Amino acid sequence: MEALKQFFMTAPVEPAIFAQSLWLIIALPLLGAFVCGVFGKMLGRGNVHLIACATVAGSFVLSVLAFWCVSHVQGGSPVAMESVYSPNAIRYAIGYDYGTWFSVGTFRVNFGLLVDHLSGTLLLVITGVGFLIHLYSTSYMEHDDGYWRYFAYLNLFVAAMLTLVLADNLVLLFVGWEGVGMASYLLIGFWYTDAAKAWAGRKAFITNRIGDFAFLIATFLIVLLVSAFNSQANVANFTTVSGAAETAQVRFREGQQLKGPVAFQGLEVLANALPQNAEVNAQAAVTLQTPIAEGPLAGRTFGGVLTVALLLFLLGAAGKSAQFPLYVWLPDAMAGPTPVSALIHAATMVTAGVYLFSRMSFLLVLSPTAMTTVAIIGTITSLLAALIAFAQDDIKKVLAYSTVSQLGIMFMGVGAGIFWAAVLHLVTHAFFKACLFLGAGSVMHGNADETDIKKLGGLRHEMKWTWGTFLVATLAITGIVPLSGFFSKDAIFHGLHHNHLHGYESVTHALYYVGLLIAASTAFYMSRAYLLTFEGKRSPEAKIAHAHESAWQMTLPLVVLAVLSVVALVYALPLMPGRNGPQPVMENFLGPVFASAERIAGRADLVKLDHSVPGLGDYVFAWLVALAGGAVSAFLYMKYFPAQAGKPAPAFARSVRRFTQNKFYVDEAYEFLVIRPVKNVSGILYKLVDTLLIDTVAVRGTAWVTARVGSALRYVQTGDAQGYAAVMALALLGGAVYALIQVLQ
Amino acid sequence: MVPISYYLILAAALFCLGMFGVLIRRNALVVFMCVELMLNAANLTFLAFAKQNGNLTGHVSAFFVIAVAAAEASIGLAIVIAVFRSRGTVNIDEIRTMKH
């Protein structure tokens, strides 16, 4: 046992050496995308499958190594990374700086990669789940002509997502952020010959762009904030950073010069050196209330700018992570191939917002306003999506809205400061939602692409593997003991209940009760989807009489994901020794990542993070809530009205149902409030600027003037020698007259 | 002795005649003849000024002009003949190749 422990605690490669090879994790899928995209058609199906899967598998192996290196304990001391910012080496992290990417004046961005416990966990999820989805796709896309294009996009997506996770600064993260946006556009609109699907891709792209714009502005604000801090902070500011204050200040400045203002390590030092108020550090020149002395932000306070930047980051995250008000693209994105939905919309891209806020937890805890906003937005999104999911009949749409809802729950966790639980829910959600999506794909595969759950039914006996795994995943997302979803969701709600955001205590308490409602709703609509699909009799409207089970390439990932969604519960169990009694494994594990946030929150009373562990009573209560939702659903759909197609819903439910089925008319509201005005304005601009100014005046006008001048000048160059001679004679005459005038004068 | 202004007026009259000929006539040969007329008008002024100043520079210039005019006339004639051979006309209205 001791030897085994020793084996797992010692990485096979020296971490410092492995750090230099981190770029390979990104480069492998990128290479795969290149080869599949350029040579795919020549290589043939088998080779494309091999390359696409092998590159992601290679990334997975490297990720495991990276993860292992991060947890490397040789001779009792954990792996530590030298950082230019801090005299104390950063623990439990490896990173490598590949030099300057670009620099403009004093602004500089390095191509630096960093793996710590947070990004290590995500690496494993992305490459692991990503590999399973690649494997699944080899069977799912068997009959598609564009398979090589599909696998190239899929690899590109994985590469972009890995860039996002590995980046050690905001700008490189933004590259991955944009990369996943582009790859998702390509994948959602994969079947581009179908106009509706191409439109769905475009909708996702545009909605994401709105968020990305906010992200960019927020990044600029952070850059300005850092430079203002550079010029205003004094030594006393750095007393709160570990080590000698003078050294810390010098190192911060050196780090800024070496790595630029957007590196996460630098921002962490900044967050540590920025006390919330003067009581904490009376000598500090800069606190959150200090006005900025010069530059474009002159007059604004540090805390104010930080809050605005974080809110803009929230808007950016709302676009990528499908939060209110920018969630509308995700349900439409189900137009893409089903494995894509599993990869993008469950396991990776949409969790980017949660990752971003976890990565910048140290900044977030400086602003309770921003935290509350994040939590409220998460709650609104989650509740809204859960309610819409009630009446959706398309199995993929139900899952899509459920994804939006679950992401809302993660945002609630992030907003309330339970970062570890949000990340854990991210991981468990990746497992069970990918399993659900792939299960839905398998159901569609076996039923001639039927997606209406009312026209399925009774698949339990015909698709045994799909049924089993779908059941496990449904129970997990519903929150049934002892599956992982229960623990991760409950950890978030528990933290929401006990954390204090200064000035907003009542808000988080209210959100806790809304959270219970969300949990019950989740149980209801997931049970409904499951029951209508798998239980009961086969619908008479089914397309084919008997469904068939899918190939092993599809069932194997399902089984693996189902197993993972069960065993991931270990991470939420309070097994590790902590400061205040036993600590959940995940909290302990992610401790080093969120240590700064913890320290900052502890220093002042803006945010009070709670570390209590849910008791048995809490567990039972949460379990009962979930069970109640599921039971209501089971009662309604099994006994009261097994609402098969054709059979009308009861009268009281009909109007509500229509309203819900039309997704609360949110899309229509956008159409009316945003799209129509923008269209009208652009129509006017088109008439006025484009047609009149540019086309008529600028383009045609230039041509007209040139033509007129040309036809006038044509008389000058007739080729008629006598004409030329006449001009010469006239010039001579002019010269003579001039001479005469001169002489007479 | 005849005053120099008489010579100059005569030369000017000749030059104008030649110039209008160049501008107006259509036949290339006549145009050439008119050019000769203009050259001779210039020669006349040279000689008139040379006579008045009593030196030989004007005479020398006139000889130069005559020599060059002779050479030019032969080449011009050759061109006109070549054009006539290729196009069957010496009407300069119809030979507008300079515009290309």
Side-chain angles (χ1 to χ4, degrees), chain A residues 712-728:
Chain A
L713 286 175
R714 197 177 303 145
Y715 297 108
V716 176
Q717 207 179 27
T718 51
D720 180 5
Q722 282 182 324
Y724 297 156
V727 173
M728 281 161 71

Side-chain angles (χ1 to χ4, degrees), chain A residues 717-727 729 732, chain B residues 15 19 22-26 31 92-93 96 98-99:
Chain A
Q717 207 179 27
T718 51
D720 180 5
Q722 282 182 324
Y724 297 156
V727 173
L732 204 62
Chain B
F15 187 86
M19 195 170 77
V22 167
L23 294 183
I24 289 164
R25 297 306 295 258
R26 293 283 175 261
V31 169
I92 52 173
D93 271 359
R96 289 182 171 174
M98 278 173 79
K99 72 174 154 191

Side-chain angles (χ1 to χ4, degrees), chain A residues 168-226:
Chain A
D168 86 333
N169 59 62
L170 268 172
V171 177
L172 192 58
L173 187 144
F174 188 67
V175 173
W177 190 268
E178 286 294 294
V180 289
M182 188 191 69
S184 74
Y185 161 72
L186 294 170
L187 283 169
I188 294 167
F190 177 72
W191 287 309
Y192 58 85
T193 45
D194 183 341
K197 288 169 182 171
W199 271 104
R202 214 179 303 176
K203 187 173 179 184
F205 194 71
I206 303 231
T207 319
N208 266 299
R209 277 306 139 290
I210 298 170
D212 294 344
F213 186 59
F215 186 111
L216 267 185
I217 297 175
T219 311
F220 296 147
L221 279 180
I222 293 286
V223 171
L224 291 176
L225 193 76
V226 170

